[in-house]
Every structure is written in C-alpha cells, then in structure tokens.
Amino acid sequence: MTTSLDLDNTCVPFNRKKTYLALTIPLLFLMFVVGVFLFFIHPFLSIIYTAFWIGANFFQSYCCAYQECPYTDGFCPAVAGIIPASRIANLRLIRKMKKSKRRFEIFATFGSLCLVGLIVFPLIFLNGEDVLYSVGYIIFISVYAGLFLWNVCPVCAIRSTCPGGRFSTSLRKLRSS
C-alpha cells in the first residue's frame, strides 16, 4: 500500500487547475462528440463507449482509496476526465473493500484497459467513416497525452505511484541528463 512518504502533499490542493481544465474540457467535448457519433451509428455502440468511461471511474476509485489519494475530498487532476473516481472512492462500497496489493493491481489493470478502450474502440468506427477522422482523433489524443504528461503529472501528489506520473518523471530525468 502507498504510504504517506509516497505522496507529495505539497501538491495538495492541486495548483494547476486552469491548465488541467484547458486540457480536459476539450477532451471531454471530443469524448461527447464521439459518443454522439457512435450513437448515430448504433445506440448500443454509444452505451459500450460510455461503459468504458464508467468502468475506468469505478476501477480507478478503488485505486484512489487504496493509495489514500489526497484528492478524494477536493479537486482531482484525473487523466481523461475520470474525475468522478475520486468521489466514488469515498463511497461506503469502496471504503469497505478489503485493501490488498493484488486487488489494487487487478483494479488498476482493468481501469487502464477501460481507458485504452475509450481510445481504441471509436477508432474502428471512425476509420470506417473516413481515415482522416481516425488520424485527427489519434493526433488529438496524442497531443492531449503529451501535454498532460508534461504539465499535470509532474505536479500531482501521486506521481510516484501513478504510471503516468512515473513515466513523466522518467522523461523529465532523461531530458535533464
């Protein structure tokens, strides 16, 4: 389990809210547009897409609780707009779950798979519509991920335990070498 030594509480409250929102609002808008696009192809596709987002929130909520994330009671700089995860972590259902490293790893894996699903699932249908949609979508997601890793992850309290935070820290160390 993460200890208080693994957390950087000087990053609480999160001080780059404007940067986070400038990155996340366009992403959430894109996700909404993609959801509507999938709905018009077939409503069930939109349900699947939404289920990936809900799943990411649910699985991440256990990870928040397990790590005793300091953002569960305030603003949370969650990747891909999975902000509800921090609030779900406070629910009795999640708080009462037995905390174990194994369960954390399972939930983190499923949460990550849901995030990958959010990215990959629409590509099948965007590519079927027009290759340029897929290319634009991939470029948007790549730019978002790069900017998020460079601007948000380095000042997040859980960067030493979060995969994105660790990757961001490694990139910064390589750059400064």
Side-chain angles (χ1 to χ4, degrees):
M1 182 160 29
T2 301
T3 65
S4 59
L5 297 175
D6 294 321
L7 301 176
D8 181 358
N9 285 318
T10 62
C11 298
V12 180
F14 187 74
N15 66 1
R16 291 192 184 172
K17 290 179 188 172
K18 288 180 182 176
T19 301
Y20 175 81
L21 293 172
L23 293 171
T24 304
I25 290 172
L27 177 72
L28 290 173
F29 179 73
L30 175 67
M31 290 167 60
F32 175 77
V33 170
V34 167
V36 170
F37 169 77
L38 292 172
F39 180 84
F40 282 113
I41 293 174
H42 193 286
F44 189 67
L45 297 176
S46 185
I47 292 169
I48 293 170
Y49 184 66
T50 303
F52 281 125
W53 190 78
I54 292 169
N57 276 282
F58 173 74
F59 292 116
Q60 179 59 40
S61 70
Y62 177 80
C63 297
C64 295
Y66 176 84
Q67 296 180 95
E68 297 175 8
C69 179
Y71 297 121
T72 59
D73 291 326
F75 183 85
C76 173
V79 70
I82 59 168
I83 300 162
S86 66
R87 299 297 187 200
I88 296 168
N90 290 327
L91 296 177
R92 176 178 243 180
L93 167 75
I94 302 299
R95 286 185 293 143
K96 293 257 182 195
M97 288 178 124
K98 182 182 177 198
K99 291 183 180 181
S100 73
K101 184 173 173 45
R102 176 87 172 121
R103 181 172 283 161
F104 170 77
E105 290 169 352
I106 290 169
F107 274 60
T109 299
F110 280 119
S112 297
L113 289 173
C114 286
L115 287 174
V116 169
L118 271 172
I119 296 167
V120 174
F121 182 70
L123 281 172
I124 300 162
F125 305 99
L126 289 169
N127 198 38
E129 191 67 27
D130 190 336
V131 173
L132 288 178
Y133 289 158
S134 294
V135 171
Y137 177 78
I138 291 169
I139 289 170
F140 186 97
I141 296 297
S142 298
V143 168
Y144 167 81
L147 290 172
F148 194 91
L149 285 168
W150 195 254
N151 294 294
V152 176
C153 293
V155 294
C156 179
I158 63 164
R159 68 182 171 274
S160 63
T161 58
C162 170
R166 289 192 308 243
F167 181 69
S168 174
T169 301
S170 297
L171 284 179
R172 286 178 173 275
K173 284 180 183 176
L174 281 173
R175 185 171 185 252
S176 65
S177 299

